[in-house]
Every structure is written in structure tokens, then in C-alpha cells.
């Protein structure tokens, strides 16, 4: 991995985990000093991040962490609903889900433990693991690149929906609802209720719309999102 790639990876992680907040200005020279390197690899990393939608670069003004594009989040959420529901139901038809039930139940128990101790970073990873298993049980991992798994806007929107960046008394707490829906997905699999499974998946994927819409309507996070009227 080249130095530019390492810098890109480091900045990407800080952006998607909200260590760098939407709208925050990044200093090319400051990053170079921090990493004890020239500005050339930093400039290359910033250019790549801009092409990925993670940064907005303005001549004479500098580079800023992009605000979260709610129009793109809505579109990505729609793709995820269509694609992941299809993948899960295909797994269902092939009889691949019943053996997963004990594993999925263990995941839900772990998620509840993370909520209890307010370990929301770990909860995010466990949430990803819960959904990843449906793709990888039948070698459908290639589908995930279209479902927001690596989309800078969708990743950050999900974190805001979970309230990762807030303390336990101020976050927009959708965590219990999300884990409850995970349990209902498992229950539908256990009952062999294909329609119930499909309905629960759709409801689950639409959480992010409801949660963020309520915050936008309340006038919160105006400096975080863009294209608010289009989502």
C-alpha cells in the first residue's frame, strides 16, 4: 500500500466514523505535518476522497468534509431494500436460513448487551455482521457494493440514525427498535413465514428514512445534511 493509499484510508475512516464532521475544513498542510510527509501524497488522497464524495474541494477555500446528501441516502436505501430483500428471500427459498437461527439469536443477544453498556461503536459492527451473513452464506457478497456498505453518505447517515456521535442522553435513539426488528426477522424465519420476513425486512430498511426525517423536520442537523427537500 502506497503512502497516498494509507493516508486515504486514514482520512476515510475519520470521515465515516464522524471524527471529522460534515462541513469541517481539512488542512492539507496540517495533515502533512501530522503525518510527517510531503503534501503530495496528502493531495492525492484528498483528490481521491473528493471523487468518492467524501470531501468538497473549493479553489482558494480549501477542502471540506462533505455534508451528507439525503437524496443519495434515500436512493441508496431504496437499492438496499430491493437487493437485500431479494438476497434474503432467495436464501430462504434455498433452505439456507434455518441453520443460521442460533447464530442470529446470539448476535441479537450481543447487540442488546452493547446497548446496555452504551457501546454503540461495537453495536454498529454487530449490526453490519447481522446483515453480512445473509450475503455470504450463498456467495452474494458482490451485491453489497450497491447497498451502501461502502457509501460515505449512507454510512454516516446510519451512524446519525443510531446517534453514534452523541452521548447517551442526547442521541437519536433508534437502537432498541433496530435490534427488536432483527429479532422479528429471526422470528419470521423460525415460523417459516416468508411474507412476514419480507415485510419485516422492508420496514427495517426504511428506519433510516423515518429517523432522519423526524430530525430534519424538528430543525436538527441543518449543518450536517444537504438536499434535504429532495429526500
Amino acid at each position: 500500500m502506497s503512502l497516498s493509499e494509507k493516508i486515504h484510508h486514514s482520512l476515510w475512516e475519520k470521515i465515516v466514523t464522524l471524527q471529522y464532521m460534515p462541513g469541517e475544513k481539512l488542512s492539507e498542510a496540517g495533515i502533512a505535518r501530522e503525518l510527517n510527509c510531503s503534501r503530495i501524497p496528502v493531495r492525492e488522497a484528498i483528490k481521491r476522497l473528493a471523487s468518492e464524495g467524501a470531501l468538497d474541494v473549493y479553489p482558494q477555500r480549501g477542502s471540506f468534509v462533505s455534508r451528507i446528501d439525503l437524496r443519495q441516502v434515500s436512493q441508496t436505501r431504496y437499492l438496499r431494500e430491493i437487493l437485500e430483500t431479494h438476497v434474503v428471500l432467495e436464501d430462504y427459498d434455498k433452505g439456507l436460513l434455518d441453520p443460521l437461527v442460533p447464530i442470529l439469536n446470539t448476535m441479537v443477544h450481543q447487540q442488546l448487551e452493547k446497548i446496555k453498556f452504551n457501546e454503540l461503536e461495537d453495536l454498529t459492527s454487530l449490526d453490519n455482521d447481522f446483515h453480512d451473513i445473509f450475503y455470504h452464506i450463498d456467495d452474494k457478497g458482490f451485491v453489497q457494493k450497491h447497498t451502501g456498505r461502502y457509501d460515505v453518505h449512507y454510512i454516516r447517515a446510519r451512524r446519525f440514525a443510531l446517534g453514534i456521535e452523541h452521548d447517551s442522553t442526547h442521541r437519536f435513539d433508534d437502537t432498541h427498535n433496530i435490534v427488536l426488528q432483527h429479532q422479528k426477522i429471526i422470528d419470521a424465519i423460525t415460523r417459516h413465514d416468508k411474507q412476514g420476513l419480507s415485510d419485516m425486512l422492508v420496514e427495517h430498511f426504511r428506519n433510516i428514512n423515518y429517523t432522519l426525517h423526524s430530525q430534519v423536520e424538528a430543525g436538527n442537523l441543518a449543518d450536517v445534511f444537504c438536499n434535504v427537500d429532495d429526500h
Side-chain angles (χ1 to χ4, degrees), residues 11 13 18 34-35 48 75 78 84 88 92 94 106-107 113 121 128 137 147-148 168 180 187 197 218 224:
L11 295 178
E13 284 297 313
L18 302 174
E34 180 182 340
L35 299 176
R48 181 177 170 187
Q75 292 171 349
Y78 178 79
E84 189 163 330
V88 175
Y92 177 94
K94 291 180 179 180
T106 298
M107 288 181 172
E113 287 295 301
E121 290 289 350
N128 287 333
I137 192 175
T147 64
S168 59
L180 176 62
D187 292 344
L197 175 60
V224 167

Side-chain angles (χ1 to χ4, degrees), residues 23-191:
E24 184 173 342
K25 185 175 183 178
L26 298 188
S27 167
E28 184 180 297
I31 294 170
R33 284 195 302 271
E34 180 182 340
L35 299 176
N36 193 29
C37 67
S38 75
R39 295 174 65 168
I40 294 175
V42 176
R43 190 174 301 123
E44 291 173 350
I46 286 175
K47 183 178 180 180
R48 181 177 170 187
L49 288 164
S51 72
E52 295 166 339
L55 293 178
D56 294 322
V57 180
Y58 302 101
Q60 311 305 320
R61 289 182 56 199
S63 302
F64 298 80
V65 178
S66 63
R67 291 195 292 165
I68 300 171
D69 188 331
L70 279 187
R71 182 196 303 144
Q72 183 167 325
V73 170
S74 182
Q75 292 171 349
T76 302
R77 197 272 325 148
Y78 178 79
L79 285 174
R80 184 181 182 192
E81 176 185 321
I82 299 299
L83 294 172
E84 189 163 330
T85 300
H86 181 81
V87 167
V88 175
L89 295 181
E90 191 173 83
D91 290 342
Y92 177 94
D93 289 337
K94 291 180 179 180
L96 298 175
L97 298 185
D98 283 343
L100 291 182
V101 168
I103 299 171
L104 296 173
N105 276 324
T106 298
M107 288 181 172
V108 166
H109 175 74
Q110 292 171 336
Q111 290 167 4
L112 290 171
E113 287 295 301
K114 296 304 179 183
I115 292 175
K116 182 191 299 184
F117 295 103
N118 200 36
E119 297 174 348
L120 297 187
E121 290 289 350
D122 291 340
L123 177 63
T124 302
S125 296
L126 289 171
D127 182 32
N128 287 333
D129 291 345
F130 183 91
H131 290 279
D132 288 352
I133 197 169
F134 296 112
Y135 291 95
H136 296 301
I137 192 175
D138 195 33
D139 196 27
K140 295 294 191 303
F142 66 91
V143 178
Q144 283 187 298
K145 67 181 179 180
H146 303 292
T147 64
R149 190 69 168 81
Y150 310 106
D151 182 273
V152 66
H153 296 283
Y154 191 69
I155 293 170
R156 292 183 296 167
R158 285 182 66 201
R159 293 176 71 86
F160 271 102
L162 281 172
I164 298 298
E165 84 294 353
H166 291 283
D167 63 48
S168 59
T169 59
H170 294 95
R171 70 173 183 264
F172 312 129
D173 195 347
D174 201 27
T175 53
H176 287 88
N177 185 45
I178 287 171
V179 177
L180 176 62
Q181 289 178 352
H182 286 171
Q183 186 61 62
K184 289 181 177 180
I185 288 169
I186 299 170
D187 292 344
I189 295 170
T190 303
R191 294 194 311 269

Side-chain angles (χ1 to χ4, degrees), residues 211-228:
T211 304
L212 296 182
H213 180 73
S214 68
Q215 294 306 317
V216 169
E217 287 292 305
N220 298 323
L221 307 175
D223 56 340
V224 167
F225 297 113
C226 65
N227 291 325
V228 170

